[in-house]
Amino acid sequence: MRPGQAIVLLWVAWLVSWIVAAFWSSRAERRAGMAEELSYRFFMIVGGVLLFVPARGVHGSLRLWQVGWNGAWICAGLTAVGFAFCWWARIHLGLLWSGRVTKKADHHIVETGPYALVRHPIYTGLLLAIGATMVAKGTLYGVAGAAAIMLSIAMKARLEERFLRNELGSAAYDGYARRVPMLVPFLRF
């Protein structure tokens, strides 16, 4: 197996398992409006398409760098680590998880496990997987796709924070936000 194939298989396995796991979630009491979610979803879809434009053939002329065989396997490993971090967070969050910005029954701020390291560990894991995939591809399309997805994740994280602050109370959420970085462990910005 080639490292590029391994990365694609990791993405497919993660996506399929994530979709199946979506059924393991409690009922939403309240959701952010679809209009609020459209902008980040647009960038997510465009970025996903761009990130996975094949790096071979006619698009190979848009290659910006090559990482070599070992570098590509390191990127595959980092992609797997990113997905493992996503799953750790997803399992730790349990029934409170949702693919949309929602408030669940008995919703509360989770501050343990990966949520003690960053406020959005699922996004952190995805950012690692996206970055590693982009580096392995080394194409202009990969960079543009990764940038669009990263923008989408930042937009969704900000929307979630506003929504949860309103739903769960600003005092509780702001205290958590002061203690725990948003996306990158040990880095405040």
Side-chain angles (χ1 to χ4, degrees):
M1 176 180 297
R2 301 170 62 90
Q5 292 170 319
I7 291 171
V8 169
L9 285 175
L10 285 166
W11 275 99
V12 169
W14 176 79
L15 184 61
V16 168
S17 66
W18 209 254
I19 290 169
V20 169
F23 295 103
W24 175 52
S25 181
S26 63
R27 183 184 59 78
E29 286 186 348
R30 186 165 147 71
R31 295 178 187 209
M34 195 55 146
E36 294 175 291
E37 293 191 1
L38 279 178
S39 57
Y40 82 77
R41 288 179 184 272
F42 170 79
F43 286 106
M44 182 68 70
I45 291 166
V46 169
V49 168
L50 289 172
L51 185 62
F52 289 100
V53 168
R56 292 186 143 162
V58 77
H59 306 295
S61 63
L62 297 174
R63 184 171 296 284
L64 301 173
W65 64 78
Q66 290 192 354
V67 295
W69 184 262
N70 291 335
W73 276 113
I74 289 169
C75 289
L78 289 172
T79 301
V81 168
F83 289 142
F85 196 72
C86 286
W87 268 109
W88 179 33
R90 171 65 176 87
I91 290 167
H92 195 78
L93 195 56
L95 297 175
L96 292 177
W97 178 86
S98 176
R100 292 192 56 200
V101 178
T102 62
K103 178 184 179 216
K104 302 286 187 156
D106 300 319
H107 208 120
H108 59 279
I109 298 170
V110 177
E111 300 184 52
T112 58
Y115 292 88
L117 300 173
V118 288
R119 297 190 306 269
H120 301 278
I122 291 171
Y123 301 156
T124 300
L126 280 175
L127 290 171
L128 178 58
I130 291 160
T133 301
M134 177 202 68
V135 170
K137 288 186 67 118
T139 65
L140 184 59
Y141 286 120
V143 171
I149 295 171
M150 289 176 182
L151 174 62
S152 170
I153 288 172
M155 292 168 70
K156 186 176 181 190
R158 296 273 184 218
L159 174 61
E160 281 182 5
E161 294 209 340
R162 279 191 313 272
F163 183 83
L164 290 174
R165 190 172 279 114
N166 289 335
E167 293 295 318
L168 303 177
S170 61
Y173 199 87
D174 288 345
Y176 175 55
R178 277 191 299 277
R179 290 187 308 278
V180 179
M182 184 178 202
L183 292 167
V184 181
F186 315 111
L187 184 63
R188 298 237 173 242
F189 55 87

